[in-house]
Amino acid sequence: MKRQRGRGRVTLAAMAVMCAVAALPGQAWAAGEPHPYTFDDEAKPVQGTPVNSNGSELTAGSTYKDAIEPGEKRYYRIDLDATSDAYVSAVAVPKLVTKVDYSDKLEVSIEDRSGTECGDGEARFGSATYARPVADYASRRIEKDKSSCQEAGAYYVLLERTSAATSTPEPWEVEIRFVSEPGLEKAGPTAVPEEWPSASPAVPDGGPRKRAGGTSFHDATSLEQGEWRDEIAPGRTLFYRVPVDWGQQLFVSADLGNSPSGDGLGSVSNAMAVALHNPARGFVDESSSVYYDGKQKSLALDPLPPVAYENRYDSDDTSAAMRFAGWYYLSVTLSPEMAEAFGKKPLPLTLRVNVTGQADPAPSYSGPAGDFQVTDDDRAAADSGKNADAAAQSDTMALVAAAGIGAGTVLVLGLGAWTLLARRRGGAGPAVVPAQAQGHVQAAQQVQDGAAAAYGPAPGYGYPPAQGQPPQGQPGQGYGYGQYGPPPGR
């Protein structure tokens, strides 16, 4: 029977949703099950080569996964036009138990066919010398007064790993992402803003709210302005993302709570690292200069300029990185040395996020802004805390539901019209669906069945009983006869 079949579909869909929710990194972490870096589900395996002309091709809007050993060089190819800016980011992911040095780094650069370097970046560990995901990007920019790296054609991405002799020689996994930013229809300002607010705003209203961080850029937990509570274990990195629109300014600070097991004798330098990356995963800023002795400590990122297109012309790398609107990524890592001094249990973490200023109009892009914008869906995700995957799933389910409801409505109206027409013609028997409409009815029924599989039949609109089966339903429910009895002619 269709009605029972629909209920079975709903049950299976509900079980699938519950399993998916249970598997979310944030939920698992809240239950005390830490996870390593979660790579993008759609990341394509790729293998760079030591010779640039043999490098695997990367396409804009795609994510890739590779690995690199100490001292190794890996090339990839990208094809660029003569109007768009290109950004290729690399996230270095060493294993948690490996040893890294201050000078260890993963360099990423873009070269043209003549070997000229168009842009480069460095993902390094710096003074917080413990294994954690680090990232940066290289760019190819279209600039009016520049002659090299401006033409359309083949370009090459180079990854190069530098490691100290004392560092663990195991390969680092690498997540690579290539994104393109459209050019402008008309030239905008190039003068870098010289003055902007630098005073930290007050603590956001509303008090602290609980929100568990993700484990990577891919599953970073969405945040809006506010005060957020979480907990973090030694050696672990948590990821969050905040939508920041054109003209808006981002302020971030983090508090590490006191240790209940601390006896006041232990201490750790650079106990926590807080890093910020822009929508293309370019490095913006990091702070790790916190000395932890068991008492609550706080650190904050330096004040950042409001997001503006012209920031890219700034000679200061931090200000230049605040060059486009979109999701800004915040990562927090707790030093593994904390386990020896204060135990392995997670410590309280509080994040304070302020997003100030009204959104300005976007630049006059000549094409879709892609990652470089803040949409209503982004704001909704920040309000709910959904990561990119969860937000995309919600959008898909909403479309399925809308399609199912729309198709079901058309089906009901069509059947009603045919029934009324048959009665007016004096037919005493049941209304018959015209042969030429059977295909449309079946298609509509399939769509409605698909929606029911995800959401179940809406109250009052159950399925009609199968042919030869007794009537189903209660008064006012489904297409069962209920208190109204069968239609005339039945």
Side-chain angles (χ1 to χ4, degrees):
M1 295 175 60
K2 284 188 178 180
R3 185 163 184 156
Q4 292 175 342
R5 182 177 164 204
R7 285 179 176 174
R9 288 177 176 176
V10 173
T11 301
L12 291 174
M15 292 175 63
V17 170
M18 286 189 291
C19 291
V21 171
L24 286 174
Q27 297 293 333
W29 173 253
E33 295 292 336
H35 289 270
Y37 189 92
T38 302
F39 285 85
D40 189 336
D41 298 335
E42 298 182 358
K44 305 170 186 177
V46 67
Q47 188 169 6
T49 61
V51 179
N52 64 353
S53 58
N54 297 333
S56 300
E57 184 176 353
L58 311 179
T59 58
S62 297
T63 305
Y64 301 85
K65 183 179 179 181
D66 201 355
I68 189 168
E69 297 184 0
E72 190 174 18
K73 293 183 178 182
R74 286 185 173 264
Y75 280 98
Y76 314 85
R77 170 180 169 145
I78 56 176
D79 289 323
L80 305 180
D81 59 28
T83 61
S84 304
D85 290 349
Y87 299 89
V88 179
S89 64
V91 185
V93 188
K95 293 181 180 179
L96 295 179
V97 295
T98 57
K99 183 179 180 181
V100 296
D101 186 77
Y102 176 91
S103 60
D104 286 5
K105 60 185 177 181
L106 179 65
E107 296 176 89
V108 54
S109 58
I110 298 177
E111 301 174 353
D112 67 9
R113 291 166 55 198
S114 66
T116 301
E117 186 175 276
C118 308
D120 67 330
E122 292 182 350
R124 60 167 61 242
F125 297 92
S127 57
T129 53
Y130 39 84
R132 63 189 188 280
V134 292
D136 202 3
Y137 64 26
S139 64
R140 190 291 302 259
R141 283 173 40 202
I142 297 298
E143 300 179 77
K144 182 179 179 180
D145 299 326
K146 190 174 180 181
S147 58
S148 62
C149 300
Q150 302 297 292
E151 66 278 0
Y155 288 77
Y156 302 97
V157 176
L158 171 62
L159 297 186
E160 185 173 6
R161 175 181 167 184
T162 301
S163 293
T166 55
S167 298
T168 306
E170 291 186 3
W172 294 345
E173 291 186 292
V174 181
E175 186 172 61
I176 305 166
R177 181 161 175 78
F178 169 26
V179 294
S180 181
E181 181 188 22
L184 300 180
E185 290 183 347
K186 57 181 181 180
T190 58
V192 178
E194 296 182 358
E195 295 183 2
W196 38 268
S198 59
S200 298
V203 175
D205 296 333
R209 290 173 283 173
K210 178 67 177 178
R211 194 161 286 183
T215 64
S216 67
F217 286 93
H218 172 63
D219 68 357
T221 298
S222 302
L223 301 178
E224 60 182 353
Q225 175 167 294
E227 189 175 7
W228 306 99
R229 288 189 298 108
D230 201 352
E231 55 182 16
I232 185 169
R236 302 299 175 178
T237 300
L238 301 178
F239 282 80
Y240 312 85
R241 61 177 191 163
V242 183
V244 186
D245 215 336
W246 299 105
Q248 293 187 321
Q249 199 170 1
L250 176 65
F251 295 87
V252 175
S253 64
D255 292 353
L256 186 62
N258 68 290
S259 170
S261 61
D263 55 8
L265 299 178
S267 63
V268 176
S269 299
N270 301 112
M272 181 171 64
V274 178
L276 183 70
H277 291 79
N278 66 24
R281 301 185 181 181
F283 177 77
V284 178
D285 195 17
E286 181 178 84
S287 179
S288 63
S289 57
V290 57
Y291 175 84
Y292 189 82
D293 57 3
K295 300 178 182 179
Q296 178 164 320
K297 300 295 180 180
S298 179
L299 59 78
L301 296 180
D302 290 336
L304 302 166
V307 171
Y309 187 90
E310 55 268 28
N311 283 341
R312 65 193 63 205
Y313 304 109
D314 200 318
S315 58
D316 178 75
D317 290 341
T318 297
S319 295
M322 303 297 294
R323 65 179 62 185
F324 19 55
W327 289 104
Y328 279 76
Y329 295 89
L330 180 67
S331 64
V332 182
T333 306
L334 191 62
S335 170
E337 294 181 14
M338 294 285 287
E340 298 180 7
F342 302 100
K344 297 181 179 180
K345 291 184 178 180
L347 292 177
L349 173 67
T350 302
L351 297 176
R352 294 186 174 89
V353 176
N354 289 84
V355 180
T356 63
Q358 297 296 319
D360 289 340
S364 56
Y365 281 134
S366 59
D371 292 341
F372 309 122
Q373 61 181 325
V374 176
T375 67
D376 290 340
D377 287 343
D378 293 336
R379 296 185 183 92
D383 177 65
S384 65
K386 293 178 180 177
N387 60 32
D389 262 357
Q393 290 173 11
S394 296
D395 291 343
T396 300
M397 298 298 277
L399 287 174
V400 171
I405 292 171
T409 301
V410 171
L411 177 64
V412 171
L413 292 176
L415 289 174
W418 286 320
T419 301
L420 180 61
L421 181 61
R423 289 177 180 173
R424 286 184 174 181
R425 289 176 176 175
V432 178
V433 178
Q436 65 268 27
Q438 289 286 350
H440 300 293
V441 173
Q442 291 173 1
Q445 186 66 53
Q446 289 173 359
V447 175
Q448 189 173 16
D449 284 349
Y455 294 95
Y461 292 93
Y463 294 101
Q467 186 174 5
Q469 297 294 334
Q472 300 292 322
Q474 299 298 325
Q477 293 184 355
Y479 285 103
Y481 301 143
Q483 64 182 353
Y484 303 105
R490 299 284 290 193

